[in-house]
Amino acid sequence: MNELMLNGIGMTSKRTRERLVSRLQKEGITSSLVLDTIQQTPRHIFVDEALSHRAYEDTALPIGFSQTLSQPYIVARMTELLVADGALKRVLEVGTGSGYQTAVLAQLADEVFSVERIRSLQKKAAKRLNLLGLHNICLKVSDGHMGWEQQAPFDGIMVTAAPAQLPQLLIDQLAVGGRMIVPVGNYEEQMLYLVTKTATGEQIREIEKVRFVPLLAGLD
Ligand code: SAH
């Protein structure tokens, strides 16, 4: 990302971002690619001003419409799993929300496609991403269960809301060798999965228990 773009957006938070990164390291995040990206991405512009003083705490934050911006640890963990083999070419994100995870991904991939079902969240996210000078992003208002077939195949898919079951339609949009990170389950219990597409099917690995908002059907 162009550092100049960030200069105007509160270098005061540079120190606090450094503190966040050292906490993430203590929590087990090791990818320097991911830590560096989080270090240079201002999280405070992705929440309402009244909450911006909490933006560098390792906690989830409300973004309106009963939705949340994920805890930095989980953003880092999911991103680390997605870019385990290095930066990616084409990534699909399901659940743009605030746009923070989109901003992180856009610095680690050639192109990011992100879908969101709530139009006003998508509009706000688009403004923020523009402000950061990130232009390798395509946003769309649609039901993420469908993925983005016209732009497939993807070498990475990140789902940031939980479907009840592993989403086969999204697995179908992965390139061979591509990875998908997806939380699956209901309100009470969810598991984060890493799905790797192979020439003959897919490999599925359980990562850890998580808590996400549900992947809802249809548009708002
Ligand atoms: N990645 C986001 C996390 C937002 S929470 C961030 O960094 O802020 C999950 C988001 O998924 C919410 O914005 C919610 O509206 C969206 N969502 C839920 N179901 C969806 C669906 N079927 N299709 C697209 N987006 C969906």
PDB file of all heavy atoms in Angstrom, residues 80-102:
ATOM      1  N   GLU A  80      -3.469 -15.699   7.676  1.00  0.00           N
ATOM      2  CA  GLU A  80      -2.243 -16.503   7.703  1.00  0.00           C
ATOM      3  C   GLU A  80      -2.470 -17.869   7.040  1.00  0.00           C
ATOM      4  O   GLU A  80      -1.639 -18.355   6.275  1.00  0.00           O
ATOM      5  CB  GLU A  80      -1.835 -16.674   9.171  1.00  0.00           C
ATOM      6  CG  GLU A  80      -0.616 -17.491   9.428  1.00  0.00           C
ATOM      7  CD  GLU A  80      -0.180 -17.356  10.888  1.00  0.00           C
ATOM      8  OE1 GLU A  80      -0.759 -18.023  11.754  1.00  0.00           O
ATOM      9  OE2 GLU A  80       0.750 -16.575  11.134  1.00  0.00           O
ATOM     10  N   LEU A  81      -3.627 -18.467   7.313  1.00  0.00           N
ATOM     11  CA  LEU A  81      -3.941 -19.771   6.711  1.00  0.00           C
ATOM     12  C   LEU A  81      -4.134 -19.637   5.201  1.00  0.00           C
ATOM     13  O   LEU A  81      -3.745 -20.510   4.427  1.00  0.00           O
ATOM     14  CB  LEU A  81      -5.217 -20.344   7.339  1.00  0.00           C
ATOM     15  CG  LEU A  81      -5.068 -20.829   8.784  1.00  0.00           C
ATOM     16  CD1 LEU A  81      -6.433 -20.928   9.458  1.00  0.00           C
ATOM     17  CD2 LEU A  81      -4.350 -22.177   8.832  1.00  0.00           C
ATOM     18  N   LEU A  82      -4.730 -18.514   4.793  1.00  0.00           N
ATOM     19  CA  LEU A  82      -5.003 -18.310   3.364  1.00  0.00           C
ATOM     20  C   LEU A  82      -3.722 -18.074   2.565  1.00  0.00           C
ATOM     21  O   LEU A  82      -3.596 -18.547   1.445  1.00  0.00           O
ATOM     22  CB  LEU A  82      -5.967 -17.128   3.177  1.00  0.00           C
ATOM     23  CG  LEU A  82      -6.750 -17.122   1.880  1.00  0.00           C
ATOM     24  CD1 LEU A  82      -7.782 -18.238   1.879  1.00  0.00           C
ATOM     25  CD2 LEU A  82      -7.444 -15.794   1.652  1.00  0.00           C
ATOM     26  N   VAL A  83      -2.776 -17.350   3.147  1.00  0.00           N
ATOM     27  CA  VAL A  83      -1.555 -16.990   2.386  1.00  0.00           C
ATOM     28  C   VAL A  83      -0.353 -17.849   2.793  1.00  0.00           C
ATOM     29  O   VAL A  83       0.791 -17.447   2.589  1.00  0.00           O
ATOM     30  CB  VAL A  83      -1.206 -15.477   2.495  1.00  0.00           C
ATOM     31  CG1 VAL A  83      -2.337 -14.613   1.976  1.00  0.00           C
ATOM     32  CG2 VAL A  83      -0.845 -15.078   3.914  1.00  0.00           C
ATOM     33  N   ALA A  84      -0.636 -19.045   3.317  1.00  0.00           N
ATOM     34  CA  ALA A  84       0.449 -19.902   3.813  1.00  0.00           C
ATOM     35  C   ALA A  84       1.512 -20.181   2.739  1.00  0.00           C
ATOM     36  O   ALA A  84       2.688 -20.361   3.058  1.00  0.00           O
ATOM     37  CB  ALA A  84      -0.131 -21.209   4.343  1.00  0.00           C
ATOM     38  N   ASP A  85       1.102 -20.200   1.460  1.00  0.00           N
ATOM     39  CA  ASP A  85       2.081 -20.450   0.389  1.00  0.00           C
ATOM     40  C   ASP A  85       2.541 -19.157  -0.279  1.00  0.00           C
ATOM     41  O   ASP A  85       3.089 -19.176  -1.373  1.00  0.00           O
ATOM     42  CB  ASP A  85       1.476 -21.384  -0.676  1.00  0.00           C
ATOM     43  CG  ASP A  85       1.211 -22.767  -0.109  1.00  0.00           C
ATOM     44  OD1 ASP A  85       1.908 -23.165   0.840  1.00  0.00           O
ATOM     45  OD2 ASP A  85       0.285 -23.440  -0.615  1.00  0.00           O
ATOM     46  N   GLY A  86       2.281 -18.014   0.347  1.00  0.00           N
ATOM     47  CA  GLY A  86       2.693 -16.730  -0.230  1.00  0.00           C
ATOM     48  C   GLY A  86       1.495 -15.957  -0.762  1.00  0.00           C
ATOM     49  O   GLY A  86       0.354 -16.425  -0.686  1.00  0.00           O
ATOM     50  N   ALA A  87       1.779 -14.777  -1.309  1.00  0.00           N
ATOM     51  CA  ALA A  87       0.712 -13.894  -1.777  1.00  0.00           C
ATOM     52  C   ALA A  87      -0.116 -14.587  -2.866  1.00  0.00           C
ATOM     53  O   ALA A  87       0.364 -15.487  -3.561  1.00  0.00           O
ATOM     54  CB  ALA A  87       1.303 -12.599  -2.306  1.00  0.00           C
ATOM     55  N   LEU A  88      -1.349 -14.162  -2.998  1.00  0.00           N
ATOM     56  CA  LEU A  88      -2.295 -14.836  -3.894  1.00  0.00           C
ATOM     57  C   LEU A  88      -2.629 -13.974  -5.109  1.00  0.00           C
ATOM     58  O   LEU A  88      -2.409 -12.761  -5.099  1.00  0.00           O
ATOM     59  CB  LEU A  88      -3.583 -15.145  -3.122  1.00  0.00           C
ATOM     60  CG  LEU A  88      -3.421 -16.079  -1.916  1.00  0.00           C
ATOM     61  CD1 LEU A  88      -4.679 -16.084  -1.072  1.00  0.00           C
ATOM     62  CD2 LEU A  88      -3.095 -17.485  -2.389  1.00  0.00           C
ATOM     63  N   LYS A  89      -3.188 -14.624  -6.136  1.00  0.00           N
ATOM     64  CA  LYS A  89      -3.596 -13.862  -7.327  1.00  0.00           C
ATOM     65  C   LYS A  89      -5.033 -13.361  -7.167  1.00  0.00           C
ATOM     66  O   LYS A  89      -5.276 -12.177  -7.123  1.00  0.00           O
ATOM     67  CB  LYS A  89      -3.476 -14.739  -8.571  1.00  0.00           C
ATOM     68  CG  LYS A  89      -2.044 -15.054  -8.958  1.00  0.00           C
ATOM     69  CD  LYS A  89      -1.989 -15.568 -10.390  1.00  0.00           C
ATOM     70  CE  LYS A  89      -0.577 -15.951 -10.785  1.00  0.00           C
ATOM     71  NZ  LYS A  89      -0.130 -17.196 -10.114  1.00  0.00           N
ATOM     72  N   ARG A  90      -5.971 -14.292  -7.114  1.00  0.00           N
ATOM     73  CA  ARG A  90      -7.392 -13.906  -7.057  1.00  0.00           C
ATOM     74  C   ARG A  90      -8.025 -14.439  -5.793  1.00  0.00           C
ATOM     75  O   ARG A  90      -7.993 -15.650  -5.537  1.00  0.00           O
ATOM     76  CB  ARG A  90      -8.140 -14.504  -8.247  1.00  0.00           C
ATOM     77  CG  ARG A  90      -7.750 -13.931  -9.560  1.00  0.00           C
ATOM     78  CD  ARG A  90      -8.380 -14.743 -10.668  1.00  0.00           C
ATOM     79  NE  ARG A  90      -9.757 -14.343 -10.937  1.00  0.00           N
ATOM     80  CZ  ARG A  90     -10.051 -13.271 -11.641  1.00  0.00           C
ATOM     81  NH1 ARG A  90      -9.110 -12.488 -12.101  1.00  0.00           N
ATOM     82  NH2 ARG A  90     -11.304 -12.974 -11.869  1.00  0.00           N
ATOM     83  N   VAL A  91      -8.612 -13.517  -5.022  1.00  0.00           N
ATOM     84  CA  VAL A  91      -9.239 -13.905  -3.758  1.00  0.00           C
ATOM     85  C   VAL A  91     -10.696 -13.460  -3.745  1.00  0.00           C
ATOM     86  O   VAL A  91     -11.020 -12.354  -4.182  1.00  0.00           O
ATOM     87  CB  VAL A  91      -8.486 -13.264  -2.567  1.00  0.00           C
ATOM     88  CG1 VAL A  91      -9.242 -13.470  -1.268  1.00  0.00           C
ATOM     89  CG2 VAL A  91      -7.097 -13.860  -2.440  1.00  0.00           C
ATOM     90  N   LEU A  92     -11.554 -14.330  -3.226  1.00  0.00           N
ATOM     91  CA  LEU A  92     -12.957 -13.972  -2.989  1.00  0.00           C
ATOM     92  C   LEU A  92     -13.173 -13.888  -1.486  1.00  0.00           C
ATOM     93  O   LEU A  92     -12.788 -14.800  -0.742  1.00  0.00           O
ATOM     94  CB  LEU A  92     -13.891 -15.052  -3.568  1.00  0.00           C
ATOM     95  CG  LEU A  92     -15.376 -14.879  -3.213  1.00  0.00           C
ATOM     96  CD1 LEU A  92     -15.976 -13.666  -3.929  1.00  0.00           C
ATOM     97  CD2 LEU A  92     -16.168 -16.146  -3.583  1.00  0.00           C
ATOM     98  N   GLU A  93     -13.766 -12.776  -1.051  1.00  0.00           N
ATOM     99  CA  GLU A  93     -14.182 -12.659   0.348  1.00  0.00           C
ATOM    100  C   GLU A  93     -15.718 -12.665   0.378  1.00  0.00           C
ATOM    101  O   GLU A  93     -16.348 -11.951  -0.394  1.00  0.00           O
ATOM    102  CB  GLU A  93     -13.673 -11.347   0.946  1.00  0.00           C
ATOM    103  CG  GLU A  93     -14.131 -11.153   2.389  1.00  0.00           C
ATOM    104  CD  GLU A  93     -13.865  -9.749   2.939  1.00  0.00           C
ATOM    105  OE1 GLU A  93     -13.841  -8.796   2.134  1.00  0.00           O
ATOM    106  OE2 GLU A  93     -13.693  -9.614   4.149  1.00  0.00           O
ATOM    107  N   VAL A  94     -16.278 -13.434   1.278  1.00  0.00           N
ATOM    108  CA  VAL A  94     -17.733 -13.435   1.451  1.00  0.00           C
ATOM    109  C   VAL A  94     -18.041 -12.726   2.764  1.00  0.00           C
ATOM    110  O   VAL A  94     -17.623 -13.176   3.837  1.00  0.00           O
ATOM    111  CB  VAL A  94     -18.295 -14.876   1.447  1.00  0.00           C
ATOM    112  CG1 VAL A  94     -19.782 -14.862   1.774  1.00  0.00           C
ATOM    113  CG2 VAL A  94     -18.050 -15.531   0.097  1.00  0.00           C
ATOM    114  N   GLY A  95     -18.730 -11.568   2.682  1.00  0.00           N
ATOM    115  CA  GLY A  95     -19.027 -10.764   3.868  1.00  0.00           C
ATOM    116  C   GLY A  95     -18.061  -9.591   3.982  1.00  0.00           C
ATOM    117  O   GLY A  95     -17.163  -9.585   4.819  1.00  0.00           O
ATOM    118  N   THR A  96     -18.250  -8.576   3.135  1.00  0.00           N
ATOM    119  CA  THR A  96     -17.343  -7.406   3.134  1.00  0.00           C
ATOM    120  C   THR A  96     -17.397  -6.675   4.474  1.00  0.00           C
ATOM    121  O   THR A  96     -16.362  -6.223   4.972  1.00  0.00           O
ATOM    122  CB  THR A  96     -17.765  -6.399   2.029  1.00  0.00           C
ATOM    123  OG1 THR A  96     -18.008  -7.102   0.827  1.00  0.00           O
ATOM    124  CG2 THR A  96     -16.714  -5.324   1.820  1.00  0.00           C
ATOM    125  N   GLY A  97     -18.609  -6.543   5.033  1.00  0.00           N
ATOM    126  CA  GLY A  97     -18.779  -5.873   6.322  1.00  0.00           C
ATOM    127  C   GLY A  97     -18.167  -4.490   6.319  1.00  0.00           C
ATOM    128  O   GLY A  97     -18.475  -3.650   5.462  1.00  0.00           O
ATOM    129  N   SER A  98     -17.264  -4.234   7.254  1.00  0.00           N
ATOM    130  CA  SER A  98     -16.619  -2.919   7.355  1.00  0.00           C
ATOM    131  C   SER A  98     -15.623  -2.668   6.232  1.00  0.00           C
ATOM    132  O   SER A  98     -15.275  -1.528   5.946  1.00  0.00           O
ATOM    133  CB  SER A  98     -15.869  -2.829   8.686  1.00  0.00           C
ATOM    134  OG  SER A  98     -14.760  -3.721   8.649  1.00  0.00           O
ATOM    135  N   GLY A  99     -15.107  -3.742   5.641  1.00  0.00           N
ATOM    136  CA  GLY A  99     -14.067  -3.611   4.621  1.00  0.00           C
ATOM    137  C   GLY A  99     -12.658  -3.801   5.177  1.00  0.00           C
ATOM    138  O   GLY A  99     -11.686  -3.809   4.409  1.00  0.00           O
ATOM    139  N   TYR A 100     -12.518  -3.976   6.485  1.00  0.00           N
ATOM    140  CA  TYR A 100     -11.163  -4.107   7.061  1.00  0.00           C
ATOM    141  C   TYR A 100     -10.441  -5.359   6.549  1.00  0.00           C
ATOM    142  O   TYR A 100      -9.303  -5.280   6.066  1.00  0.00           O
ATOM    143  CB  TYR A 100     -11.234  -4.132   8.592  1.00  0.00           C
ATOM    144  CG  TYR A 100      -9.887  -4.380   9.237  1.00  0.00           C
ATOM    145  CD1 TYR A 100      -8.895  -3.404   9.214  1.00  0.00           C
ATOM    146  CD2 TYR A 100      -9.587  -5.604   9.835  1.00  0.00           C
ATOM    147  CE1 TYR A 100      -7.643  -3.639   9.780  1.00  0.00           C
ATOM    148  CE2 TYR A 100      -8.347  -5.842  10.407  1.00  0.00           C
ATOM    149  CZ  TYR A 100      -7.388  -4.864  10.376  1.00  0.00           C
ATOM    150  OH  TYR A 100      -6.145  -5.098  10.919  1.00  0.00           O
ATOM    151  N   GLN A 101     -11.141  -6.498   6.620  1.00  0.00           N
ATOM    152  CA  GLN A 101     -10.503  -7.729   6.128  1.00  0.00           C
ATOM    153  C   GLN A 101     -10.206  -7.620   4.623  1.00  0.00           C
ATOM    154  O   GLN A 101      -9.176  -8.096   4.155  1.00  0.00           O
ATOM    155  CB  GLN A 101     -11.420  -8.923   6.415  1.00  0.00           C
ATOM    156  CG  GLN A 101     -10.969 -10.245   5.818  1.00  0.00           C
ATOM    157  CD  GLN A 101      -9.876 -10.931   6.612  1.00  0.00           C
ATOM    158  OE1 GLN A 101     -10.122 -11.486   7.660  1.00  0.00           O
ATOM    159  NE2 GLN A 101      -8.653 -10.901   6.085  1.00  0.00           N
ATOM    160  N   THR A 102     -11.088  -6.926   3.904  1.00  0.00           N
ATOM    161  CA  THR A 102     -10.875  -6.704   2.468  1.00  0.00           C
ATOM    162  C   THR A 102      -9.572  -5.926   2.253  1.00  0.00           C
ATOM    163  O   THR A 102      -8.780  -6.240   1.360  1.00  0.00           O
ATOM    164  CB  THR A 102     -12.047  -5.888   1.853  1.00  0.00           C
ATOM    165  OG1 THR A 102     -13.266  -6.266   2.485  1.00  0.00           O
ATOM    166  CG2 THR A 102     -12.137  -6.089   0.371  1.00  0.00           C
TER     167      THR A 102
END
